């Protein structure tokens, strides 16, 4: 009952974020897999076969999950550097910030947000006036 009351008071369900999935089974093979990735090998089945011969005990799905996230990264991004948009709460706080005072990815995100939703740019300007 208390959970429902909190949700009603908040006006929505709470925001949940799961930590990125990471398999410790892959750890001993990370250097090898990184080398193969840099060489251009993107076939999950091929990579799984190669590390299976080297003693990997995990499933094909473990390898596929590892590289599915990796394929979404730009080619120049270092491994495991996936940027995530801010939570709703942090996004609201960002509205009052000067985009040039933020890190590059957050600045790009905020500028894109303002271009997409000009009303948010106005809200950001008003928030900045109130906060500063």
């Amino acid at each position: 009952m208390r959970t429902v009351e909190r949700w009603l008071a908040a006006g929505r369900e709470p925001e949940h974020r799961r930590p990125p999935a990471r398999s410790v089974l892959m750890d001993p093979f990370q250097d090898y897999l990184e080398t193969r990735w840099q060489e251009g090998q993107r076939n999950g089945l091929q990579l799984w076969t190669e590390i299976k011969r080297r003693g990997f005990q995990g499933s094909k799905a473990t390898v596929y999950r590892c590289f599915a996230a990796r394929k979404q990264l730009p080619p120049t991004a270092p491994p495991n550097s996936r940027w995530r948009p801010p939570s709703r709460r942090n996004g609201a706080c960002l509205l009052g910030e000067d985009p040039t005072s933020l890190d590059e990815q957050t600045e790009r995100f905020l500028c894109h947000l303002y271009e997409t939703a000009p009303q948010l740019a106005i809200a950001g300007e008003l928030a900045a006036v109130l906060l500063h």
Side-chain angles (χ1 to χ4, degrees), residues 21 35 48 50 56 60 77 100 102 116:
T35 300
W48 175 78
E50 290 175 20
F56 180 65
K60 292 177 220 171
T100 59
L102 304 169
T116 306

Side-chain angles (χ1 to χ4, degrees), residues 6-124:
R6 280 195 305 263
W7 285 24
L8 289 173
R12 60 181 165 69
E13 72 175 292
E15 191 170 308
H16 299 286
R17 283 200 169 174
R18 289 186 175 178
R22 184 177 157 276
S23 173
V24 294
L25 291 173
M26 299 285 287
D27 286 349
F29 306 95
Q30 286 300 333
D31 291 339
Y32 177 78
L33 290 170
E34 179 62 27
T35 300
R36 294 294 287 134
W37 183 268
Q38 295 304 324
E39 292 171 353
Q41 180 55 264
R42 303 293 192 268
N43 184 301
L45 180 60
Q46 178 63 36
L47 292 168
W48 175 78
T49 303
E50 290 175 20
I51 62 174
K52 189 78 169 168
R53 287 187 199 128
R54 294 171 170 265
F56 180 65
Q57 298 294 314
S59 68
K60 292 177 220 171
T62 302
V63 176
Y64 293 156
R65 276 192 305 273
C66 173
F67 284 99
R70 182 77 184 266
K71 287 179 180 179
Q72 295 174 3
L73 293 173
T76 57
N80 301 322
S81 68
R82 190 169 165 194
W83 182 84
R84 295 170 59 172
S87 67
R88 292 180 210 149
R89 178 177 288 174
N90 289 343
C93 291
L94 285 175
L95 290 179
E97 295 291 327
D98 174 21
T100 59
S101 69
L102 304 169
D103 66 78
E104 182 183 342
Q105 288 179 318
T106 306
E107 178 185 353
R108 280 198 322 258
F109 169 77
L110 201 53
C111 288
H112 174 74
L113 190 64
Y114 288 163
E115 288 172 9
T116 306
Q119 305 87 342
L120 287 177
I122 295 167

